[in-house]
Amino acid sequence: DDSMGIQSAINDAIREGLKSDIIFGYGIYNISSTILIENGTNLTIRGQGIDQTFLISSNEIAIFNLLYCQGIQLRSFSIDYD
């Protein structure tokens, strides 16, 4: 499960308070719980392409939940449910 690692990277980026990019490598990332992005500003979460980076959940959950954010970009990855 990659949820906690992704959540930790996002929390660290938000805590830094600067424009940040979180970049996923090629492959499949298993998500078991919703990833919360709260009070994020100018944050980009980017994969390697919609046919190269996959966020997969076996549960029908929201993969991302954004609260009180601005300038958030989610790009170049696919979300699917197993």
Side-chain angles (χ1 to χ4, degrees):
D1 179 25
D2 299 300
S3 302
M4 289 180 62
I6 295 168
Q7 184 69 68
S8 179
I10 289 170
N11 292 348
D12 290 347
I14 290 171
R15 204 171 9 261
E16 294 283 323
L18 303 172
K19 184 175 186 333
S20 298
D21 286 2
I22 296 172
I23 301 173
F24 289 100
Y26 296 95
I28 297 171
Y29 296 84
N30 294 304
I31 309 297
S32 66
S33 59
T34 298
I35 297 163
L36 177 63
I37 304 174
E38 187 170 8
N39 297 312
T41 302
N42 298 323
L43 175 66
T44 299
I45 301 173
R46 180 188 329 263
Q48 301 298 314
I50 62 170
D51 60 345
Q52 301 294 319
T53 304
F54 302 91
L55 278 59
I56 307 291
S57 179
S58 59
N59 305 316
E60 291 188 22
I61 58 169
I63 299 293
F64 294 104
N65 186 9
L66 284 69
L67 297 173
Y68 314 112
C69 295
Q70 67 179 35
I72 305 296
Q73 296 184 38
L74 306 173
R75 333 177 74 164
S76 300
F77 57 84
S78 293
I79 294 175
D80 204 354
Y81 298 89
D82 189 19

